[in-house]
Each structure stands twice: as C-alpha cells, then as structure tokens.
Amino acid sequence: MKWSFVIQQKFKAAILLGGIMALIVGGTLISRYNVEGIDESFSSIYKDRLVPATTILYLTENLYRKRLSLENYLYSEAQQSPAHVKAQLHAHDRSIDSLIRLFEKTYLVDEEAKSLQGFKSQIGQYARLEGEVLALCTVGSFAEAKQVFSAPGSTTFESTILNLNELAGIQSTIGKDLVKASKVNVASFGIISFLQISLAIITGLVVIVLIRNSQIIQKPRPNSNKSQYFNLN
C-alpha cells in the first residue's frame, strides 16, 4: 500500500514537472521570437527609416542647389556660360538619381511608394523646365527665361519639396509604429521572463516536497511490541 502511494505521488509529480517544463520551453520560444522582433524593429528603424530620412535631406539639398545655380545664372551680373550651368545641373541630377535608387532599395509601404513615384514625376517635370530656361537663355531670351523660372518653375519646385516633406512625414509615422511594436515586444519579454522565474521556483518547491515526502515514507516506524515489552518490565 505504501509503495502504491509513492508511485502514485511520483506519477503526479512527473506530470506536474512535465507540464512546467513544457511551459518553460514554450516561454523560451516565445521570448526568442520577441527578441527577434525587437532586433528586426531596430534594424528596420535604421535601414528603412533613418537611411531614407537622411536621403530625403540630401535630396532637398540637391534640389535647392539646382534652384540656386539657375537663379544665380539668371540674375547675377557675372554671366556664366549656359554650358557651365547645364553641367552643374546635370551633376545635381546624377546625385539625385543616385539618392532615389538608394531610397528605392529600402522597404517601402504603399503610401511611401506612391509618394516617391510622385516625387520622381515632379523631378522630371522640373528638369524639363530647367532645360527650357537654358534653351531660352541660349537664344538670348532672358526675360522670358526668368518668367518661366519664376512662374511655372517656382510652382513645380514647391510641389517637389512638398513631395519630399510628405515622404519625411511617412518616415516619422512608421518609425513611431516600429517603436511601439518594440515596446510591446519588450513588455512581453519581461512578462514571460517573470513567468519563467516563477515556474523555476515552483519546480524547486515541488522537488523539495517530493524529497521530504520520500524521507517520511521511507522512515521506519518504531517497534510497538518492543515498547510494550519495556513497559511491562
């Protein structure tokens, strides 16, 4: 009867410990998933948000330099050759194209891809206006060239900058979402770690109880006949 009770208790303990171990293993896997999610979020913040944000800054700089180069050519007293100005504009165009290709290598959400496509369209339109201005200057029509530069040129330039501002706003919004996701993963990791520690403590307590029960069951009982013998004497 005693051994039957011991086996029954050990069987229950084995089931309990097995369940605890399964929970610990499951918690470990979930923790690993959360850590990978945190790593992916921070990597995405750098690769897909910080790099595009820096690229937008350089794109804006090149656009303003193009605008300033053409403006100096039109309104400066020191006249430059159209070929020299055209070479400057082409250098900025190559830089812009390189930056756009770098931007396109990052992960783009639908809204971001649409805005980038609009920006590329505006860039092409503005480049054509620059070519028109230079063509007018080549034939000596500076007044008309200034008019094109000021009216449609200014409007197109502002639209291009607005596209960049829109892209910058998208980076900020998605970056905030990634930070929120990272915080959720960190919180989940903390909860799971606490549960794992609790389960480890419970496992230790169960082992201690099993050891004590085993010692109590295996401890020999005092001989009652021997006690009676001494009492009779």
Side-chain angles (χ1 to χ4, degrees):
M1 187 69 179
K2 179 178 68 175
W3 290 109
S4 175
F5 175 77
V6 171
I7 293 172
Q8 185 180 8
Q9 293 300 313
K10 287 185 176 181
F11 180 72
K12 291 180 180 179
I15 293 176
L16 178 61
L17 291 175
I20 292 174
M21 291 300 296
L23 290 174
I24 292 175
V25 171
T28 302
L29 294 176
I30 295 174
S31 297
R32 182 178 178 181
Y33 173 78
N34 287 336
V35 171
E36 290 176 353
I38 294 170
D39 180 65
E40 289 177 1
S41 295
F42 279 105
S43 297
S44 181
I45 289 174
Y46 172 74
K47 294 179 182 178
D48 301 324
R49 300 304 139 212
L50 184 58
V51 170
T54 307
T55 304
I56 290 171
L57 177 64
Y58 290 138
L59 285 170
T60 305
E61 180 185 2
N62 277 276
L63 284 173
Y64 274 104
R65 285 184 179 275
K66 284 183 67 179
R67 182 77 176 172
L68 184 61
S69 296
L70 193 55
E71 184 178 9
N72 288 337
Y73 171 69
L74 290 173
Y75 295 97
S76 176
E77 295 180 358
Q79 290 293 328
Q80 300 177 2
S81 65
H84 178 71
V85 178
K86 188 175 182 179
Q88 288 182 331
L89 296 179
H90 283 174
H92 288 300
D93 287 336
R94 288 192 297 270
S95 179
I96 289 172
D97 290 339
S98 177
L99 290 169
I100 290 176
R101 287 194 297 270
L102 179 63
F103 198 106
E104 289 175 332
K105 290 180 180 179
T106 62
Y107 173 76
L108 302 176
V109 298
D110 293 339
E111 184 181 1
E112 197 174 14
K114 182 179 179 181
S115 182
L116 181 61
Q117 191 62 36
F119 171 73
K120 291 168 66 176
S121 176
Q122 292 290 340
I123 283 290
Q125 184 178 351
Y126 187 71
R128 288 190 293 271
L129 284 172
E130 289 175 335
E132 183 179 347
V133 170
L134 289 175
L136 290 170
C137 291
T138 302
V139 297
S141 302
F142 281 92
E144 189 176 352
K146 291 178 181 179
Q147 185 177 359
V148 173
F149 177 81
S150 299
S154 178
T155 303
T156 305
F157 180 78
E158 289 177 359
S159 298
T160 305
I161 296 300
L162 286 176
N163 275 117
L164 285 178
N165 291 338
E166 183 179 351
L167 283 170
I170 294 172
Q171 307 310 311
S172 177
T173 301
I174 298 177
K176 289 178 181 178
D177 292 339
L178 289 172
V179 170
K180 289 180 181 178
S182 298
K183 288 182 178 180
V184 171
N185 286 330
V186 169
S188 299
F189 179 77
I191 294 172
I192 292 172
S193 298
F194 174 78
L195 292 176
Q196 287 177 325
I197 293 172
S198 301
L199 290 173
I201 294 173
I202 293 172
T203 303
L205 293 175
V206 170
V207 171
I208 292 173
V209 170
L210 288 175
I211 293 173
R212 290 182 61 86
N213 288 340
S214 177
Q215 290 175 346
I216 292 173
I217 293 172
Q218 293 178 2
K219 185 177 180 181
R221 295 182 180 179
N223 194 330
S224 58
N225 294 330
K226 187 175 180 180
S227 299
Q228 291 176 1
Y229 174 78
F230 282 109
N231 289 333
L232 289 173
N233 288 336

